[in-house]
Amino acid sequence: MMQESGTETKSNGAAIQNGSSGGNHLLQCASLREGRSNGETPAADAGAAELVHVQQQQALQVARQLLLQQQQQQQVSGLKSPKRNDKQPALQVPVSVAMMTPQVITPQQMQQILQQQVLSPQQLQVLLQQQQALMLQQQQLQEFYKKQQEQLQLQLLQQQHAGKQPKEQQQVATQQLAFQQQLLQMQQLQQQHLLSLQRQGLLTIQPGQPALPLQPLAQGMIPTELQQLWKEVTSAHSAEETTGSNHSSLDLTTTCVSSSAPSKTSLIMNPHASTNGQLSVHTPKRESLSHEEHPHSHPLYGHGVCKWPGCEAVCEDFQSFLKHLNSEHALDDRSTAQCRVQMQVVQQLELQLAKDKERLQAMMTHLHVKSTEPKATPQPLNLVSSVTLSKSASEASPQSLPHTPTTPTAPITPVTQGPSVITTTSMHTVGPIRRRYSDKYNVPISSADIAQNQEFYKNAEVRPPFTYASLIRQAILESPEKQLTLNEIYNWFTRMFAYFRRNAATWKNAVRHNLSLHKCFVRVENVKGAVWTVDEVEFQKRRPQKISGNPSLIKNMQSSHAYCTPLNAALQASMAENSIPLYTTASMGNPTLGNLASAIREELNGAMEHTNSNESDSSPGRSPMQAVHPVHVKEEPLDPEEAEGPLSLVTTANHSPDFDHDRDYEDEPVNEDME
DNA sequence: GTGCACGTAAACAGTA
DNA sequence: TTACTGTTTACGTGCA
């Protein structure tokens, strides 16, 4: 008995699932673009990188030549002019250090680390090699530059004691300038190269941590990975510190060779970092202060261990920890560098979080809209779906007002909210409560509702928060011909809802009961036997009744439309005025909009009609459907002779799928009363 | 408290 | 005879 009938209800599930995966990617791309948006050329590829590489080598050679010349001059002339003492540091420092320092991982780079997963191992290796070559060059440059500076300083000192000729001084100064310009140029080239690498998906790597890039390519970074990253970064820093005679090379922030602590801190805060409120450069002062406030709760101290990133020094007690903190993690270049890295880690995490949030939002949105998209496709279903959708939408919207507050069940909100699934789920758990919610006051289920939660209902044995009447109507409307045999209705129930795979006797009885009870369900004798159809007119009639006597309802409905998204005011107004136009456009156009519009229209229609219906059936505001169809469809109990009447109804219903009838149906009692 | 809507159960009849 | 289909009635529940 319960077999077959697989035709009409297409699984919206597939459509639901295929929809939107691309969105995230787009988002990511967009964010990446933002991150990089420093005016780089977009077309950086391996060729460009090589070019940059060659250029860098040339620049390096030039620098070496300059240095040699300088050294020769120094040897020949002895001491240099002291005059340039003042200017030199000023010139050197910013240019040299800032430019030459291997870059601390920038937020963009971190972001890429977190996101990148595209490159093939071969690509990665090539890029890594390039990167490492660059790093080597950087180191060479640094060493070279440091030596030069030391020599210059020595020279200057010597010159201070022994006078020099201004000529030589000028020469040296110009050479310095030229050299710095060369360095600057090199640095720019390097940066370009780095940017190109970034574009290719590889982050820039710090010298001394070649392994780093390999890890990050795994998808999202988990905290441990981040920690690992942190350790590597910090270790790299410290290594450089120890190796380099001059500590300042590490960090952009640690620019001045002779810079003082304050200047460093100020430099440390780059715009990015400051945004995070990370100004919390941990000065000893602060620490102690915070410590005073919270005696033994120091964020950097726990379980007897210093939690300074990469430290993990064991501290017997808090005092020793403080000691350790002040001694080992005082305000120096290393600490600031670490601090900066930490800032970036945090920033990256925040970025990741934001991104994930975006992703979630996109997913929610997609799941929401999704149901409508598939329906747009031209299939038997589509017709149905459009109808049902409109219905659903209408249902949702209307009821949502009066109902929403009271009824938790209604998966009401196809349009408005996000994870309808969740909503429904939660609602389902309510179980017993469900019934009231669905129809009456509210709207009967909408196909959209069902579609949106389709997967959930299919798999979870949760009672759908819809009335039998709503479900039956839905099933019928989803069928290509908008008519189903009882058995097909059964099948639809079992197919769509796991809940109805049990207790068949009970719910089947209920289905039959509803079919018979509600006038909106019309039994038609067909060639193949008896089929059930939905009489929308009945719905129309009924709806008003429920609402009837409640003038505020109309208001509510209209206001409810506002909830319903992006329908513009004009549209709503037009709908309010005349349901027909809206109806047409809505149904024809964008599915979502159509649903919404139809829903609204229904609502309005219902309300209007309702108001009008009290007086007479033929109200001006009525939809064509209504006008066309005889109001009384089912009034007379089904005599075989009357079969014709219902049939006509059926046809009409089919013709105007969009017509939402949301109003439901079912309250037979109402109908009867009206009739 | 009442009316309404809904769900559930059951009885009954008709039909294949 | 059985199972399905369809109708009807009764009862309970929740809500306005």
Side-chain angles (χ1 to χ4, degrees), chain A residues 497-656:
Chain A
F497 303 95
Y499 176 84
F500 292 120
R501 287 163 202 157
R502 289 187 180 180
N503 302 324
T506 299
W507 65 261
K508 283 181 179 176
N509 183 30
V511 168
R512 290 194 305 271
H513 167 73
N514 276 271
L515 283 172
S516 296
L517 191 62
H518 298 311
K519 308 236 166 182
C520 55
F521 298 122
V522 181
R523 182 174 177 273
V524 178
E525 292 292 339
N526 204 352
V527 179
K528 24 171 175 172
V531 294
W532 289 93
T533 61
V534 178
D535 178 5
E536 300 298 341
V537 177
E538 280 302 317
F539 284 155
Q540 300 282 346
K541 281 164 119 198
R542 310 251 163 139
R543 196 18 166 316
Q545 255 210 334
K546 300 174 186 174
I547 306 169
S548 71
N550 187 3
S552 63
L553 183 65
I554 299 174
K555 228 189 207 172
N556 289 338
M557 288 178 163
Q558 289 174 341
S559 63
S560 68
H561 302 164
Y563 294 14
C564 303
T565 42
L567 258 194
N568 57 34
L571 186 59
Q572 290 188 24
S574 67
M575 290 177 67
E577 289 179 3
N578 187 348
S579 57
I580 302 174
L582 224 192
Y583 167 89
T584 345
T585 39
S587 58
M588 303 309 239
N590 170 340
T592 312
L593 185 64
N595 296 337
L596 222 173
S598 59
I600 297 174
R601 179 188 59 79
E602 276 193 20
E603 300 274 342
L604 288 175
N605 270 348
M608 302 287 226
E609 285 181 13
H610 174 265
T611 49
N612 293 336
S613 66
N614 291 339
E615 298 174 345
S616 66
D617 273 332
S618 62
S619 61
R622 221 180 221 192
S623 69
M625 296 282 302
Q626 291 174 320
V628 173
H629 298 295
V631 179
H632 333 281
V633 178
K634 219 178 171 186
E635 307 163 12
E636 311 303 324
L638 346 138
D639 294 349
E641 299 101 326
E642 289 193 4
E644 305 263 332
L647 262 183
S648 64
L649 271 183
V650 176
T651 22
T652 48
N654 289 340
H655 288 194
S656 62

Side-chain angles (χ1 to χ4, degrees), chain A residues 368-522:
Chain A
H368 232 12
V369 180
K370 181 184 22 176
S371 59
T372 59
E373 290 177 358
K375 300 190 174 180
T377 63
Q379 289 186 354
L381 253 194
N382 304 335
L383 265 188
V384 181
S385 60
S386 64
V387 178
T388 50
L389 281 180
S390 61
K391 241 202 278 184
S392 58
S394 62
E395 293 174 358
S397 61
Q399 55 180 7
S400 60
L401 291 181
H403 223 2
T404 353
T406 49
T407 65
T409 49
I412 314 161
T413 60
V415 186
T416 44
Q417 94 287 53
S420 60
V421 177
I422 299 174
T423 318
T424 32
T425 315
S426 57
M427 294 166 32
H428 296 295
T429 57
V430 184
I433 309 170
R434 67 173 162 179
R435 351 174 154 156
R436 303 284 151 97
Y437 309 149
S438 52
D439 265 29
K440 337 179 104 170
Y441 309 63
N442 317 322
V443 184
I445 6 153
S446 60
S447 55
D449 295 335
I450 295 179
Q452 286 180 353
N453 307 287
Q454 195 176 36
E455 290 304 316
F456 173 79
Y457 290 126
K458 276 184 178 175
N459 299 321
E461 257 185 56
V462 179
R463 175 164 199 141
F466 311 114
T467 62
Y468 282 110
S470 297
L471 291 173
I472 294 168
R473 175 171 168 256
Q474 181 67 23
I476 294 172
L477 291 178
E478 278 191 11
S479 68
E481 298 178 359
K482 298 197 170 67
Q483 57 181 20
L484 290 178
T485 65
L486 180 64
N487 191 32
E488 287 171 340
I489 295 173
Y490 289 161
N491 289 337
W492 186 87
F493 271 70
T494 53
R495 189 167 53 242
M496 301 296 288
F497 303 95
Y499 176 84
F500 292 120
R501 287 163 202 157
R502 289 187 180 180
N503 302 324
T506 299
W507 65 261
K508 283 181 179 176
N509 183 30
V511 168
R512 290 194 305 271
H513 167 73
N514 276 271
L515 283 172
S516 296
L517 191 62
H518 298 311
K519 308 236 166 182
C520 55
F521 298 122
V522 181

